[in-house]
Amino acid sequence: MRPFDYQRAERLAHAAQLTAQSDTLALAGGTNLVDLMKLQVETPQVLVDIGRLPLGTIEAEGDGLRIGALVSNTDTAVHPRVRADYPVLARAILAGATQQLRNKATTGGNLCQRTRCYYFTNIDQPCNKREPGSGCGAIDGIARIHAVLGASTHCIATYPGDMAVAMAALDATVEIASENASRSVPVREFHRLPGDTPERDNVLEPGEIITAVTLPAPVGGTQIYRKVRERSSYAFALCSVAAVIDLADNRFTRADLAFGSLAHKPWHDPRLADLLIGKEPSLALFDKAADLLLEDTQGYGENDFKIPLARRTLAAVLCEATGVEA
Amino acid sequence: MHLKQDKPDNRNVLDTTAQGVIGAPLTRPEGLLKVTGTATYAAEYEVEGCLEGVLVSVPIMSGEVLSIDEDSVLAMPGVVAVISDERLTGRAAQGTAGEAPFQPAQTVCYWGQPVALVVAETFEQARDAAKHLVIETRAQDVPVDPEKVDTKVEETTRTGDLAHAMAEAAHSVDVEFTTEGHASAAMEPHAAIAQWQDDSLTVHASLQMLKFNRAELADSLGLKEEQVRLVSPYVGGGFGSKLGISQEAVAASLAAMHLGRPVRVVMSRQQVFQTIMRRSETHQRVRLAADNEGRLTGFGHEARVSNLPGESFAEPVLQSSQFLYAGENRLLQLEIARIHRMTAGSVRAPGEAVGVQTVEQAMDMLAEKAGIDPVELRLRNIPEKHPANGKPFSSRKLAEALREGAKAFGWEPRPRKPRHTREGEWWIGTGVASAARVHAVVEAKARVTLRPDGTAVVETDMTDIGTGTYAILGQVAGEMLGLMPDDIDVRLGDTDFPAGSGSGGSWGAASCGSAVFLACEGLRKKLAERLKVADDGLTLKDGFVRWDGGEKALTELLDGKPLDATGHFEPGDSTEDMAISSYGAFFAEVAVNHWTGETRVRRMTGAFGIGRVLNARTARSQCLGGMTWCIGNALTETLLFDPNDGHLVNCDLAEYHVPVNRDVPDLDVLLLEERDGSASPIQAKGVGELGLCGGAGAIANAIYDACGARVFAYPMAPNRVLAAMPQN
Ligand SMILES: Cc1cc2nc3c(=O)[nH]c(=O)nc-3n(C[C@H](O)[C@H](O)[C@H](O)COP(=O)(O)OP(=O)(O)OC[C@H]3O[C@@H](n4cnc5c(N)ncnc54)[C@H](O)[C@@H]3O)c2cc1C
Ligand code: SF4
């Protein structure tokens, strides 16, 4: 860990102003950032503690719900409206990390959590994300947890989290403030693909602070979060699927799907809903959906298994949601 | 009292005593301290003026350190010194080595080897400086893949003609397996605080075997053993990783000696994974030949393991294969590949932890081929005498464990056919495996003192690594002296006390328990002499001494003065003349997800014969821990090495997946009481390791029974299960 200055932001504008400086990072729950600082992966000179900013509430917003950036993952997961109207989100959060971590982890921090790529977290290894231009240790290394969709020759890391996958399925929106402006970005567009700038995980610019995530009006349906992992808790997904599914007259009327741990972002492919809606659920149809989803996959040896696994996990979720028997 | 045990001791003295505490499921005397965070572990001592040291590793697999530029950090805030003394050790010592591990640290043999220590006033300063220290190295190209280097045969046992037996067999199995490397993954990281004063060194350390560790540390530093004192009353898990001294203890000591100030060195979690003993990966082949009734005519087990050049240890994969099952035509062969990964050494149950499960999977395949209930197949193949050396077996509860375990588990005795039960998405199946672990005892001493107030003190440098040593030694002494264990103060983990056996190889309880037993026999003799009666005529209970014709309070007999005796136990011919091992059986039920191949263990029963049970609660806990390891071994644990530069990639507890609570279902443990007079004078064998010797095979067999996937590569991660699962 490098020595750093610690500053506590009293107001949002102040936080934005401070984090606009180079080598300055916002500190929320610290469960990701502090770990990475100990490993010298993150080396900010200044930490701006945003923990006292008034971003810690969950409020109704129209028919939807606005979850402040500093609300803990636990508080979001147990919130009565989240449980009633957005169960996929509650389930996704509860599938992540541990109770202790969820008590500290925040909405904003969870969205911005960094990849678990083993080479990213080891400063003696090449990594274009950590040190642009140094190479990618994972591509011909141990790529078990890496991306099979949307990767580049510069980086094959995944966004590892769960919460944002459910938010992508729900088509939530990230609210962002800078010193004098604010904007909102759909969760589906918040994370980026690595391209040739893998050092950027998402679209946040220096000096921008996430203030909240808003969920649109509830849509009901069957909501499922399915996380495949080696052990039954305290493990990141090998592959996950968030689904909001509705049927009328045994035909799909809604099929909002997002996938975790397959790409540098929660993966949402609008073509899947187009394919499914209006059709009768069947194993053959689910297979077609998987064909579409996995059209452009590329494995890197160790992670080849994710491709059939994603297909099967999608089928499992759709079977569960529609009652089709395997 | 000194005993070199050349003959079995079948007197079963502890069954004739009156106190009734031996074997009782008493709680640990130190339990409250531990769960309230008030037991002081190595790094936690508050030592005035203590400096903080951080080990500095280099990222090459093999090569030399050319220079260490101290000036690159000496001006940094708080930095006091850079220690790059030639006596720094790059590796940990093997268990019971009793001499310095490989020196100097500047010769680099694996990725991440520590080569220097940065010492500063605060931990943060030292850690930062450690990352800044400029070290020039010359790397040497070495092979990375242990499968691609030549091997040397370590050990071969050959009788009859296995190939011929295979060709003639009514049923045969010939399969290959791989197991990945394992880490001990103890919760407490390796840590030491060294203090150098008046030419003598005191080190608070986290170590398993102080008698050996003291010799190792003294040898590493060029000191006499008498100059070194090790203190290690609580150890937050060892599992083999703290058998020998490791780099931090030597580095802290050297720094303290150079600087004349106390120095603390605590490894980071990453350093623990990268530099401490690993269990070798293995590549195994198992061959079984059987007649029509499933009786083995041939048994083959070959294994390939790896270690660093120059290390004597080779994961003893075949250890129990030597005698577990019959078969007159035998070939057992162990080969070792030299590879530049951190030292391979003893990780809990070395050998059997990966060697039994493969044989047990092969046995399952044989049972299927022969159309025999897998439990029955095992029962049919229990040999009469040791198949290789003809020695008689001492106690052996294998058949009882299989039978009793089957009953407790609700095993259906029938030939197996997979894919019989489905619950929604989940395939449900059950599997069985035998358990076996060789027995060992080592020399141990303990002193027991009766205090004038009628309480007692037990002292030995034996450690309690979480196993329950404090509890059981108090019970042995209490039983022998007629005292409640609450009245016995057990003091451990200090080389100022008589040298015990250390904790390792499941030998601690039997060895140190015997030393305490002998000390108490000595005390009983002294008491009898005072009373002028034969010592076997004494009954000691609740602080009173009774004999034919009289009774006296112990306090009265002591008459205001303490009375002590030292017990000295040495293994002798009794362990040579017999084939002594612990046995058991595992039964597992698993659910395998049809879609994802995820496997969850739903319940598990283990039945074990471990000789005399000294404390039913702590013995059960050892078995629970072992069975939990079976789950990790079967499903998740794997050290992943980079194929390009050989570094360990998953070096923390988030990425090296030991089982979490939710992975561990109800585990049922049956302890089958037995007495083994050849094993030790207290008729006890070991319990610490048996619980993980084979159980992963029961899980593998259950996976097959559930979904039809035979997985030959451990751990059986979802992708491996899916790939092997029949798709219809
Ligand atoms: C062992 C372990 C297991 C885990 N398992 C899982 C899992 O299974 N699934 C899962 O989803 N997650 C998992 N996590 C990750 C965990 O969810 C994240 O660490 C947590 O959500 C981060 O939130 P935080 O508030 O602590 O963020 P911090 O650590 O404080 O910050 C993380 C990053 O976000 C930035 N940031 C924080 N808040 C804002 C804001 N409002 N605006 C702009 N930037 C901001 C920080 O600058 C920093 O770069 C695990 C973590 C650990 C340590
Ligand atoms: S995959 Fe991305 S994060 Fe991982 S080493 Fe390559 S560049 Fe770095």
Side-chain angles (χ1 to χ4, degrees):
Chain A
M1 188 182 269
R2 295 270 172 81
F4 59 90
D5 282 336
Y6 170 90
Q7 301 208 14
R8 181 178 293 150
E10 303 297 343
R11 287 167 301 106
L12 184 57
H14 183 217
Q17 188 190 20
L18 290 171
T19 55
Q21 314 294 312
S22 60
D23 289 328
T24 303
L25 285 175
L27 174 73
T31 58
N32 187 222
L33 181 53
V34 175
D35 275 3
L36 293 174
M37 287 171 67
K38 288 183 188 165
L39 295 170
Q40 216 125 304
V41 171
E42 299 272 26
T43 52
Q45 279 173 4
V46 183
L47 268 195
V48 179
D49 185 349
I50 60 171
R52 303 273 171 109
L53 300 182
L55 305 172
T57 53
I58 300 182
E59 293 155 4
E61 173 137 311
D63 290 335
L65 200 64
R66 186 173 187 281
I67 303 169
L70 290 172
V71 176
S72 77
N73 281 182
T74 299
D75 286 346
T76 302
V78 303
H79 193 274
R81 274 218 50 205
V82 173
R83 294 175 64 120
D85 295 338
Y86 311 96
V88 66
L89 178 59
R91 289 184 187 136
I93 290 174
L94 293 176
T98 62
Q99 185 69 57
Q100 294 91 328
L101 284 159
R102 293 192 296 266
N103 290 344
K104 283 300 283 179
T106 64
T107 317
N110 197 325
L111 281 173
C112 296
Q113 68 173 287
R114 311 219 57 189
T115 184
R116 307 304 289 195
C117 171
Y118 313 118
Y119 299 81
F120 173 72
T121 52
N122 183 336
I123 62 166
D124 290 314
Q125 292 296 319
C127 171
N128 289 323
K129 184 182 279 297
R130 179 170 30 79
E131 207 181 316
S134 64
C136 170
I139 280 189
D140 56 357
I142 301 282
R144 180 169 173 76
I145 57 175
H146 290 74
V148 293
L149 282 166
S152 74
T153 54
H154 300 275
C155 178
I156 60 169
T158 57
Y159 168 78
D162 296 297
M163 179 194 82
V165 181
M167 288 176 169
L170 291 166
D171 199 11
T173 304
V174 186
E175 291 182 17
I176 298 167
S178 53
E179 196 182 346
N180 334 305
S182 62
R183 60 174 178 139
S184 45
V185 178
V187 168
R188 293 173 183 174
E189 287 160 32
F190 177 75
H191 296 94
R192 347 172 18 259
L193 290 182
D196 56 7
T197 50
E199 65 275 17
R200 294 193 56 200
D201 293 350
N202 54 48
V203 300
L204 278 187
E205 299 286 342
E208 286 194 318
I209 302 278
I210 297 172
T211 53
V213 170
T214 47
L215 303 173
V219 297
T222 301
Q223 303 199 1
I224 295 171
Y225 188 74
R226 177 82 174 231
K227 178 174 178 179
V228 183
R229 44 189 155 169
E230 284 164 2
R231 61 181 175 191
S232 45
S233 167
Y234 197 39
F236 286 90
L238 294 172
C239 155
S240 71
V241 180
V244 181
I245 305 286
D246 226 348
L247 299 169
D249 299 332
N250 198 33
R251 286 172 192 279
F252 280 101
T253 54
R254 178 176 293 278
D256 294 330
L257 293 159
F259 301 82
S261 293
L262 296 182
H264 199 256
K265 56 186 288 190
W267 193 260
H268 172 261
D269 185 338
R271 295 177 306 165
L272 296 190
D274 293 345
L275 172 81
L276 294 169
I277 285 174
K279 303 225 175 60
E280 272 189 28
S282 71
L283 286 176
L285 180 67
F286 304 163
D287 232 19
K288 271 200 197 129
D291 288 341
L292 205 55
L293 169 73
L294 301 168
E295 205 173 45
D296 290 321
T297 47
Q298 188 188 341
Y300 296 86
E302 291 260 342
N303 68 347
D304 290 349
F305 73 90
K306 282 191 177 185
I307 300 169
L309 185 62
R311 173 180 297 275
R312 297 179 69 92
T313 312
L314 173 59
V317 167
L318 292 176
C319 282
E320 185 184 339
T322 61
V324 168
E325 297 260 339
Chain B
M1 284 281 276
H2 173 232
L3 173 73
K4 183 160 181 296
Q5 200 189 358
D6 287 328
K7 289 197 301 287
D9 182 340
N10 296 321
R11 295 177 300 152
N12 297 340
V13 170
L14 290 168
D15 295 320
T16 64
T17 44
Q19 191 61 26
V21 292
I22 198 73
L26 304 183
T27 54
R28 299 149 191 260
E30 83 290 8
L32 194 66
L33 293 180
K34 285 181 175 170
V35 297
T36 53
T38 46
T40 309
Y41 287 85
E44 297 175 333
Y45 286 86
E46 284 186 30
V47 176
E48 196 158 306
C50 193
L51 293 166
E52 306 289 339
V54 169
L55 289 164
V56 191
S57 307
V58 287
I60 58 173
M61 255 185 110
S62 175
E64 290 292 324
V65 172
L66 300 179
S67 67
I68 295 176
D69 180 7
E70 299 187 3
D71 293 337
S72 60
V73 298
L74 280 179
M76 290 180 71
V79 175
V80 175
V82 175
I83 307 291
S84 55
D85 192 296
E86 296 244 308
R87 291 170 288 179
L88 282 173
T89 48
R91 311 175 187 171
Q94 296 285 355
T96 72
E99 60 183 26
F102 183 84
Q103 294 166 304
Q106 287 77 14
T107 303
V108 181
C109 299
Y110 60 92
W111 198 102
Q113 181 178 315
V115 300
L117 183 80
V118 172
V119 184
E121 296 290 344
T122 72
F123 170 68
E124 285 76 13
Q125 290 165 336
R127 181 171 58 184
D128 187 28
K131 292 273 186 214
H132 280 87
L133 185 66
V134 175
I135 300 175
E136 201 190 341
T137 55
R138 182 172 49 224
Q140 190 189 330
D141 256 351
V142 287
V144 180
D145 183 353
E147 292 271 342
K148 298 215 173 92
V149 298
D150 293 339
T151 58
K152 201 176 134 273
V153 173
E154 276 284 301
E155 171 200 328
T156 310
T157 309
R158 200 189 293 268
T159 33
D161 183 346
L162 177 62
H164 187 251
M166 290 292 288
E168 299 285 298
H171 307 288
S172 66
V173 173
D174 182 352
V175 270
E176 290 189 34
F177 298 90
T178 55
T179 68
E180 309 280 357
H182 295 156
S184 291
M187 193 124 67
E188 181 200 19
H190 293 60
I193 302 176
Q195 292 169 270
W196 176 248
Q197 210 168 19
D198 305 326
D199 271 357
S200 63
L201 183 71
T202 302
V203 185
H204 288 85
S206 182
L207 292 164
Q208 293 179 227
M209 306 213 283
L210 298 193
K211 169 173 71 183
F212 300 99
N213 303 139
R214 181 192 204 186
E216 289 149 8
L217 188 56
D219 189 31
S220 302
L221 301 170
L223 298 177
K224 295 206 247 342
E225 280 188 43
E226 303 77 63
Q227 287 174 282
V228 177
R229 177 181 172 207
L230 291 174
V231 184
S232 202
Y234 302 115
V235 179
F239 311 115
S241 74
K242 296 165 182 171
L243 288 177
I245 50 156
S246 41
Q247 299 89 334
E248 82 294 340
V250 179
S253 301
L254 284 168
M257 290 162 70
H258 277 291
L259 302 171
R261 282 178 66 181
V263 178
R264 172 179 11 239
V265 180
V266 183
M267 283 198 191
S268 68
R269 184 64 67 190
Q270 288 74 18
Q271 285 175 330
V272 173
F273 271 91
Q274 286 166 348
T275 73
I276 293 301
M277 298 286 173
R278 64 185 168 99
R279 187 195 309 287
S280 171
E281 70 294 326
T282 73
H283 189 140
Q284 306 179 37
R285 179 183 186 191
V286 179
R287 281 181 283 176
L288 302 175
D291 67 14
N292 251 323
E293 272 84 53
R295 291 204 163 72
L296 288 170
T297 53
F299 183 98
H301 194 179
E302 291 149 84
R304 176 196 168 103
V305 301
S306 73
N307 208 341
L308 276 171
E311 290 290 331
S312 58
F313 181 87
E315 179 79 17
V317 178
L318 316 176
Q319 207 157 240
S320 282
S321 292
Q322 298 284 3
F323 56 80
L324 180 57
Y325 294 126
E328 54 276 18
N329 298 289
R330 304 179 81 81
L331 172 63
L332 289 90
Q333 182 159 303
L334 186 67
E335 292 173 36
I336 187 159
R338 295 295 167 188
I339 188 85
H340 288 264
R341 291 179 172 176
M342 66 283 204
T343 322
S346 295
V347 174
R348 196 173 183 184
E352 285 93 334
V354 286
V356 179
Q357 68 212 41
T358 54
V359 171
E360 291 304 310
Q361 252 185 290
M363 286 294 276
D364 209 55
M365 296 172 74
L366 182 65
E368 190 184 23
K369 285 195 172 176
I372 300 174
D373 167 32
V375 171
E376 175 58 28
L377 179 78
R378 288 167 172 83
L379 290 171
R380 277 184 205 177
N381 283 293
I382 298 177
E384 271 169 29
K385 52 187 180 19
H386 192 296
N389 59 28
K391 285 183 192 174
F393 290 103
S394 63
S395 62
R396 183 174 47 167
K397 286 279 186 210
L398 179 54
E400 289 86 338
L402 285 161
R403 291 201 181 98
E404 298 292 311
K407 208 188 299 162
F409 181 80
W411 178 263
E412 286 175 43
R414 55 172 168 79
R416 319 284 286 172
K417 236 194 156 96
R419 291 155 73 90
H420 47 77
T421 307
R422 177 122 174 212
E423 292 177 10
E425 295 181 355
W426 298 87
W427 293 106
I428 313 298
T430 55
V432 59
S434 298
R437 172 74 181 155
V438 293
H439 169 75
V441 274
V442 306
E443 182 176 6
K445 291 182 193 162
R447 180 171 51 234
V448 181
T449 309
L450 279 168
R451 289 187 286 213
D453 63 357
T455 63
V457 185
V458 175
E459 290 163 314
T460 160
D461 81 355
M462 176 63 182
T463 49
D464 186 323
I465 61 172
T467 46
T469 314
Y470 283 102
I472 60 156
L473 295 188
Q475 279 169 277
V476 172
E479 190 60 52
M480 289 295 286
L481 300 176
L483 298 175
M484 288 311 284
D486 277 353
D487 288 328
I488 297 174
D489 183 8
V490 180
R491 298 178 186 165
L492 303 178
D494 188 331
T495 50
D496 279 355
F497 299 145
S501 61
S503 303
S506 297
W507 64 52
S511 308
C512 284
S514 293
V516 171
F517 171 82
L518 291 169
C520 293
E521 281 206 311
L523 284 171
R524 290 175 67 108
K525 215 174 220 111
K526 289 185 185 180
L527 293 173
E529 276 161 18
R530 282 190 189 182
L531 292 164
K532 303 200 173 25
V533 296
D535 59 324
D536 56 0
L538 285 187
T539 303
L540 275 68
K541 189 168 191 304
D542 296 331
F544 284 87
V545 185
R546 292 189 195 96
W547 63 98
D548 194 12
E551 172 178 306
K552 238 183 193 172
L554 196 53
T555 44
E556 197 183 328
L557 203 55
L558 290 167
D559 195 21
K561 285 184 280 305
L563 186 67
D564 69 45
T566 298
H568 180 186
F569 167 72
E570 268 187 284
D573 292 344
S574 82
T575 51
E576 297 293 311
D577 298 344
M578 290 270 183
I580 310 177
S581 297
S582 312
Y583 296 87
F586 300 97
F587 295 82
E589 178 181 306
V590 304
V592 182
N593 190 275
H594 155 75
W595 290 112
T596 62
E598 288 164 292
T599 301
R600 306 292 179 236
V601 178
R602 302 222 299 191
R603 61 195 181 96
M604 215 169 160
T605 298
F608 307 105
I610 56 167
R612 181 191 296 280
V613 176
L614 301 171
N615 176 322
R617 182 191 301 264
T618 56
R620 176 172 176 275
S621 287
Q622 287 298 295
C623 299
L624 293 179
M627 289 160 76
T628 302
W629 276 53
C630 292
I631 297 172
N633 177 343
L635 301 179
T636 54
E637 289 185 50
T638 174
L639 292 175
L640 299 170
F641 293 91
D642 181 75
N644 299 305
D645 72 359
H647 79 280
L648 176 68
V649 299
N650 55 337
C651 45
D652 60 37
L653 291 167
E655 301 299 341
Y656 180 84
H657 288 167
V658 299
V660 296
N661 267 325
R662 223 171 144 193
D663 295 312
V664 185
D666 270 352
L667 303 177
D668 189 19
V669 175
L670 264 70
L671 296 174
L672 308 171
E673 275 287 355
E674 62 181 353
R675 302 283 178 264
D676 193 326
S678 304
S680 64
I682 54 173
Q683 299 81 34
K685 298 190 282 194
V687 60
E689 298 173 310
L690 181 64
L692 62 145
C693 301
I699 295 170
N701 294 337
I703 290 176
Y704 175 74
D705 184 52
C707 70
R710 275 275 180 227
V711 188
F712 298 108
Y714 290 86
M716 297 172 285
N719 52 310
R720 287 177 169 158
V721 174
L722 261 193
M725 202 190 288
Q727 290 306 325
N728 48 48

